[in-house]
Amino acid sequence: MNKKSFLYRVFDLYYDGFRHMRLGKTLWAIILIKLFVIFVILKLFFFPNFIKQHADEGHEADFVATQVLHDN
């Protein structure tokens, strides 16, 4: 890659910045752990797939439509 190209300079900026981080690496680890907890753990235990449990396979759209119309 040409060292004067825009993409190389952007890559070099981030690479150099992450290479010299000390506290930042710990903060990024905390952020990634929190995202894992939010999107994986909470999804598994607190947000079950309600439509899959109550609708017949292939008729999910009909189930949602009837639920929306009857819940007025």
Side-chain angles (χ1 to χ4, degrees), residues 51-63:
I51 296 173
K52 186 176 183 180
Q53 293 173 354
H54 292 90
D56 296 330
E57 189 173 334
H59 299 285
E60 292 89 357
D62 296 331
F63 174 75

Side-chain angles (χ1 to χ4, degrees), residues 1 4 9 11 16-17 19 24 28 30 32 42 46-47 52-54 57 60-61 72:
M1 190 180 282
K4 292 184 179 184
R9 289 185 292 160
F11 171 77
D16 190 47
R19 185 176 45 177
W28 274 109
I30 292 171
L32 292 175
L42 291 178
F46 296 107
F47 301 108
K52 186 176 183 180
Q53 293 173 354
H54 292 90
E57 189 173 334
E60 292 89 357
N72 288 336

Side-chain angles (χ1 to χ4, degrees), residues 7-64:
L7 292 176
Y8 179 80
R9 289 185 292 160
V10 169
F11 171 77
D12 191 47
L13 175 75
Y14 281 100
Y15 181 76
D16 190 47
F18 281 112
R19 185 176 45 177
H20 290 102
M21 272 191 200
R22 299 230 190 284
L23 177 64
K25 289 180 183 178
T26 306
L27 294 176
W28 274 109
I30 292 171
I31 290 168
L32 292 175
I33 291 168
K34 286 174 70 174
L35 287 173
F36 176 78
V37 169
I38 289 170
F39 289 111
V40 175
I41 304 298
L42 291 178
K43 169 75 170 107
L44 288 175
F45 293 110
F46 296 107
F47 301 108
N49 194 343
F50 185 81
I51 296 173
K52 186 176 183 180
Q53 293 173 354
H54 292 90
D56 296 330
E57 189 173 334
H59 299 285
E60 292 89 357
D62 296 331
F63 174 75
V64 172

